[in-house]
Amino acid sequence: MAVHLLSASRLPVAKSINQNSWEMGGTLVREALERSGLESVDAIYASSMMSGELEGQMHLASLIADEAGLAGVEAMDISAVSASGAAAIRAAYLAIQSGEVNSVAVVGVERMSAGDANPVLRKALHAVRESEKTMVLKNADALAMYLKNHSVQYESFVNFAINAHRNGAKNPLALFQKEVDEAKVVEARIIAEPLRLYDCSPVCDGGACIVLSRSDHKAGDVKLAASACSTDRFVLEDRQDPLDFLAARKSFQKACDSSGRNTPDFKFFEVHDAFNIMACLCLEACGFASKGRGFRLAEDGDIYADGKLPIATMGGLKARGHPIGATALYQAAEIHAQLTETAGANQLPAEKIGPALMQSIGGAGTTLFTHFFEPA
Ligand code: COA
């Protein structure tokens, strides 16, 4: 049973959006539905990491259904911290594959500006054993370990930020629409040694939605060709090798096994570049570079829009922004835009219109979702 991605809707990512997340969700579902050519959907799956804590609102999917004028449909909140949107996409994929539903609107919304997002973000980590840590500190530790173990200079990583900002500068929906050069990245303030400002994704608001359907119910131009999830030891330091993103590797492998695709097939990669080190470790886990050499794809310019494997083609988490529960929906919507050649100034060249890879990370490499998309 093929699952098709029919349509998408996105809000401009902003430092602050003056709307409740469920109002954003209702608008996004209506817009995506209108573009899908469907009258309605059988289900709405919603993702948000923080609406309960920062807006005092849980039970979001049903509220979004009502806001969208779709009260009566199946509705569920789906959660996997920073990969919540990808978990919701996977739930929709499984529901459609099972034959239980024909179509699902998957919507992700996040208003990090509604309160102090940092104490909520750290809840992705172990509440007792990592109580002194934050996501920033965990990724700073990982980058420091990588630089030391592989004898790499910090400067070898700057192209991750330069690429994301170059692509973000062309995307009218991106939070940061400004380019940065090497000097700006290197001289930026240190957030947690060795991570500097431009190595981190920002705190921001946003929302996006996609409509998925059984292909025999309503066919579209883009196929969701595989979906997989794997986990690793919860705490990074418990892993045999903390620099081996095992969950990324395993979920990628599972998706390859189910679809018959493999590393050389992919034309571009919407990677989870919440921090530069995450992008690097995902590139290695999916076989685009050997262990300890992922940064070379950045250093050599292979990750640029005209490179061998473009990543973060519309700015990525770094420059488009990372409104947590909405992020994977932006990734999927951007892949839809690339594959339907509607990506505007960010449009990849024709030879790149082919199998596209998307990964989404929950926590410090703990829960990993891999999705493959391709022209239908
Ligand atoms: N990249 C580039 N610029 C950034 C930025 C980022 N990640 N974060 C903030 N800025 C800019 C702001 O736009 C602002 O610029 P302006 O003065 O021109 O308006 C300036 O830096 C100060 O912004 P502010 O919000 O005060 O920065 P901050 O020091 O409080 O936050 C970080 C910076 C990196 C600590 C914050 O963005 C952060 O915590 N990021 C990680 C979030 C996270 O953990 N997400 C989950 C990942 S799984």
Side-chain angles (χ1 to χ4, degrees):
M1 171 63 56
V3 177
H4 280 189
L5 166 48
L6 300 184
S7 61
S9 57
R10 286 171 281 165
L11 291 172
V13 179
K15 202 164 177 176
S16 168
I17 296 180
N18 192 20
Q19 229 187 1
N20 293 318
S21 58
W22 53 94
E23 293 167 338
M24 295 175 358
T27 307
L28 287 161
V29 169
R30 276 198 304 273
E31 267 180 32
L33 188 56
E34 213 174 286
R35 290 174 193 163
S36 73
L38 292 172
E39 300 260 301
S40 184
V41 283
D42 294 341
I44 293 180
Y45 296 163
S47 59
S48 171
M49 184 176 172
M50 310 192 172
S51 70
E53 303 226 26
L54 299 187
E55 294 180 278
Q57 184 65 60
M58 299 174 79
H59 207 181
L60 208 53
S62 301
L63 182 49
I64 290 174
D66 195 21
E67 287 280 336
L70 294 172
V73 298
E74 168 181 332
M76 288 195 283
D77 297 340
I78 312 269
S79 161
V81 291
S82 41
S84 291
I89 294 173
R90 174 152 172 80
Y93 176 85
L94 293 174
I96 292 169
Q97 285 280 2
S98 77
E100 286 280 322
V101 301
N102 288 323
S103 57
V104 185
V106 189
V107 58
V109 284
E110 205 70 80
R111 275 190 71 216
M112 300 177 83
S113 70
D116 186 356
N118 285 316
V120 189
L121 281 173
R122 66 186 302 160
K123 291 186 184 180
L125 302 172
H126 196 294
V128 177
R129 291 180 52 206
E130 296 177 296
S131 60
E132 303 296 316
K133 289 288 184 183
T134 62
M135 286 303 294
V136 169
L137 290 173
K138 295 298 285 190
N139 281 278
D141 290 350
L143 180 59
M145 194 187 298
Y146 190 100
L147 297 181
K148 182 165 176 276
N149 290 7
H150 299 302
S151 306
V152 179
Q153 296 299 310
Y154 166 82
E155 285 71 15
S156 296
F157 274 73
V158 294
N159 281 0
F160 285 109
I162 292 171
N163 171 63
H165 276 265
R166 186 177 289 178
N167 294 338
K170 292 190 234 158
N171 176 3
L173 302 181
L175 176 69
F176 296 126
Q177 297 175 33
K178 59 173 184 193
E179 295 204 25
V180 294
D181 59 16
E182 177 163 355
K184 189 144 183 138
V185 177
V186 173
E187 287 159 20
R189 68 192 149 99
I190 291 183
I191 300 298
E193 187 67 50
L195 278 181
R196 290 156 169 83
L197 182 67
Y198 293 99
D199 304 324
C200 310
S201 58
V203 170
C204 51
D205 293 358
C209 179
I210 60 171
V211 174
L212 296 173
S213 165
R214 283 165 66 117
S215 53
D216 59 355
H217 177 63
K218 174 94 172 83
D221 297 327
V222 177
K223 186 172 151 187
L224 174 51
S227 170
C229 172
S230 294
T231 55
D232 202 340
R233 294 294 306 274
F234 195 88
V235 177
L236 194 84
E237 288 74 15
D238 287 345
R239 299 175 197 159
Q240 206 171 17
D241 178 356
L243 295 179
D244 178 8
F245 259 11
L246 192 67
R249 192 144 51 81
K250 279 189 172 169
S251 67
F252 178 72
Q253 202 50 55
K254 281 191 205 174
C256 286
D257 292 346
S258 74
S259 64
R261 295 268 174 223
N262 218 324
T263 310
D265 293 326
F266 293 98
K267 305 289 187 193
F268 65 101
F269 185 3
E270 289 306 333
V271 69
H272 191 104
D273 58 335
F275 299 93
N276 55 5
I277 184 67
M278 282 187 168
C280 174
L281 295 179
C282 285
L283 286 166
E284 293 177 14
C286 297
F288 296 106
S290 57
K291 193 168 154 44
R293 286 289 165 269
F295 69 92
R296 291 289 296 273
L297 295 170
E299 210 173 37
D300 296 346
D302 291 338
I303 61 169
Y304 288 139
D306 59 356
K308 281 189 210 146
L309 183 75
I311 70 169
T313 68
M314 299 189 75
L317 281 60
K318 171 69 212 61
R320 173 243 296 127
H322 183 19
I324 310 291
T327 293
L329 281 310
Y330 277 99
Q331 292 176 296
E334 289 163 359
I335 290 173
H336 181 262
Q338 292 290 4
L339 296 186
T340 53
E341 300 191 65
T342 55
N346 293 95
Q347 185 61 54
L348 292 172
E351 66 268 21
K352 291 290 176 198
I353 309 304
L357 167 61
M358 164 177 153
Q359 281 196 319
S360 312
I361 305 179
T366 304
T367 308
L368 246 301
F369 291 87
T370 298
H371 286 98
F372 296 167
F373 298 85
E374 59 189 48

